[in-house]
Amino acid sequence: MDIIYPLAVPKGRRLCCEVCEAPAERVCTACTVTYYCGVVHQRADWSSIHEKICQLLIPLRTSMPFYNSEEERRHQLQQLQQRQHLIEFCYTVAQKYLFEGKHEAAVPAALHSLRFRMNVHGLSSVELVPAYLLLAEASLGLGQIVQAEEYLSQAQWTVLKSTECPYATHSLLHRNLGLLYIAKENYEEARYHLANDIYFASCAFGTENIRTSGGYFHLANIFHGLKKLDLADTLYTKVSEIWSKYLSDRYQVLSQARIQQIDLLGKRFETDTGLDEAQEAEAIQILTSIWNIRESTSNTAPQKTIFVLKTLFMLYYLMMNSSKAQEYAMRAFNLAKEQHLSVHEQNTIEELLSLISAEEAHPIT
């Protein structure tokens, strides 16, 4: 980082901190187009997102000389495409941090996503709402309820002004409002918004889609906290089944592709979850949370615990994390033996373990 010398800044130009928009005093030496109020915010931005996009910012923030209008149009199109890519990239990075519980790290990435959205879509577009919601959720995680309410108010107002707001955006808005009211311990209002989240997500994706499962999960958490365990149990089961079906279907598709690949080329086909990093982090968070809750009832309902463990196995197996996959399969197998479950149940778990053995015997080339 280099210190900015005031006399070197063109007259009338105001340099602002990338994180807080305060007057900047330092510049990133790697890209020379990003400014900060001090070392603390520079380090926060670097570890969150700037390291990943540093060089990509140079053409976006550097004015280029043009010799004709066609060249200028081409450059503007390239900038637009780059900004659209960065909108989604920064959004995914921020989402992943949130699902991992890294709320402070999520803020700079979410701010970048918001600014790129403003550059592409303008200041009042409904496309800004997902970024506002990221910032609201990060603020809630940091215990900054007033700040979260401000971001949510901005998101609500933007949605109200829009005549064509997608169902998916309505879903995200209600989910975050539900999380706000959970933090404020207003569970009746939280249930109302989470029910709306499920409704809009179902309209957008279907009732059994993984993108709808988050609403069920947060609603289950409310009922669990209120000791309405039967309702919570039903919803946790639904969430587990949604993820299990998605991962099983994904595995079947890849199995067929792998067979064809072996037949044609004599080597295995690379496995994949079909999810982005944020969705994988969400799956880990949701399924691990349900497993922790199920563990307390393992003696009375071991099949439910084993079901979640097998789902976690499949998730990590498709993520190509064999050690974690094996860990969850062994937990399921040991629990099945301890609870004297049927031989059939134990055999199905052994079949999962055999997938790991096959993985080791035929490494991907």
Side-chain angles (χ1 to χ4, degrees):
M1 285 290 296
D2 277 351
I3 295 173
I4 297 172
Y5 295 98
L7 293 177
V9 179
K11 187 176 180 180
R13 187 181 179 194
R14 181 172 178 267
L15 302 180
C16 299
C17 175
E18 192 72 24
V19 176
C20 68
E21 297 189 341
E25 297 181 359
R26 307 180 75 86
V27 60
C28 172
T29 55
C31 65
T32 69
V33 293
T34 309
Y35 306 94
Y36 302 97
C37 62
V39 175
V40 173
H41 279 179
Q42 185 273 333
R43 287 176 178 166
D45 190 40
W46 180 263
S47 60
S48 169
I49 190 69
H50 190 71
E51 181 181 15
K52 302 175 181 69
I53 64 173
C54 181
Q55 295 304 301
L56 298 177
L57 297 175
I58 297 174
L60 294 180
R61 296 179 174 178
T62 304
S63 57
M64 303 285 287
F66 300 109
Y67 301 101
N68 57 62
S69 58
E70 179 59 33
E71 191 174 343
E72 184 175 359
R73 281 194 296 270
R74 192 181 306 116
H75 179 70
Q76 288 175 344
L77 178 60
Q78 290 173 343
Q79 283 193 322
L80 176 61
Q81 292 171 337
Q82 186 72 288
R83 286 193 175 97
Q84 288 172 331
H85 165 72
L86 287 171
I87 283 172
E88 295 307 318
F89 180 74
C90 294
Y91 182 82
T92 299
V93 169
Q95 253 194 334
K96 182 173 184 285
Y97 282 137
L98 290 176
F99 287 128
E100 293 173 342
K102 301 174 182 177
H103 301 98
E104 192 169 1
V107 173
L111 285 171
H112 275 287
S113 181
L114 177 61
R115 293 193 187 109
F116 288 131
R117 288 170 189 268
M118 288 177 172
N119 289 337
V120 173
H121 302 290
L123 299 178
S124 58
S125 170
V126 73
E127 294 292 335
L128 275 56
V129 172
Y132 285 133
L133 298 179
L134 286 178
L135 290 163
E137 189 172 346
S139 299
L140 282 177
L142 295 170
Q144 300 168 356
I145 292 180
V146 174
Q147 181 67 68
E149 288 179 312
E150 290 179 8
Y151 284 126
L152 284 168
S153 294
Q154 187 66 51
Q156 279 185 293
W157 178 239
T158 304
V159 167
L160 283 172
K161 290 189 298 181
S162 172
T163 57
E164 296 181 355
C165 183
Y167 285 136
T169 303
H170 278 290
S171 167
L172 288 174
L173 175 59
H174 282 288
R175 186 171 302 181
N176 278 268
L177 287 167
L179 294 175
L180 170 67
Y181 284 108
I182 289 173
K184 297 172 75 170
E185 299 184 358
N186 185 340
Y187 300 116
E188 184 175 350
E189 198 69 20
R191 289 200 302 269
Y192 166 79
H193 285 291
L194 290 173
N196 276 283
D197 163 26
I198 294 167
Y199 168 75
F200 284 114
S202 298
C203 291
F205 311 113
T207 57
E208 308 299 316
N209 192 280
I210 56 173
R211 285 168 288 191
T212 309
S213 70
Y216 296 127
F217 173 69
H218 292 300
L219 195 55
N221 287 341
I222 291 177
F223 288 129
H224 188 267
L226 295 173
K227 305 301 180 186
K228 297 182 178 181
L229 301 183
D230 288 344
L231 289 171
D233 178 74
T234 300
L235 288 168
Y236 285 136
T237 298
K238 186 173 186 64
V239 174
S240 302
E241 289 173 347
I242 288 172
W243 277 102
S244 177
K245 184 178 187 307
Y246 170 82
L247 294 167
S248 296
D249 289 349
R250 183 69 185 173
Y251 171 72
Q252 292 301 323
V253 170
L254 291 169
S255 293
Q256 291 301 316
R258 185 185 300 120
I259 291 169
Q260 294 172 10
Q261 192 81 340
I262 290 173
D263 290 343
L264 293 173
L265 301 176
K267 64 179 182 181
R268 298 182 66 249
F269 190 86
E270 186 172 355
T271 57
D272 178 22
T273 61
L275 307 170
D276 63 32
E277 289 186 347
Q279 290 172 314
E280 288 180 349
E282 179 184 22
I284 291 169
Q285 181 215 32
I286 287 176
L287 293 171
T288 303
S289 297
I290 294 174
W291 169 53
N292 289 333
I293 291 167
R294 292 297 194 210
E295 269 210 310
S296 63
T297 60
S298 289
N299 291 331
T300 56
Q303 294 90 343
K304 292 179 179 179
T305 306
I306 289 171
F307 185 82
V308 179
L309 286 168
K310 290 196 292 186
T311 306
L312 278 162
F313 162 86
M314 190 56 68
L315 172 64
Y316 279 107
Y317 177 73
L318 293 177
M319 289 175 63
M320 305 187 72
N321 187 334
S322 297
S323 61
K324 291 294 288 186
Q326 185 171 30
E327 174 191 334
Y328 285 112
M330 285 305 302
R331 286 179 183 274
F333 183 74
N334 292 334
L335 180 58
K337 288 185 66 176
E338 288 170 13
Q339 297 297 322
H340 306 292
L341 298 187
S342 67
V343 174
H344 173 72
E345 181 67 69
Q346 294 182 36
N347 287 341
T348 59
I349 301 171
E350 287 182 331
E351 288 174 7
L352 299 182
L353 288 166
S354 70
L355 294 177
I356 301 295
S357 301
E359 189 90 17
E360 295 170 350
H362 302 283
I364 294 170
T365 57

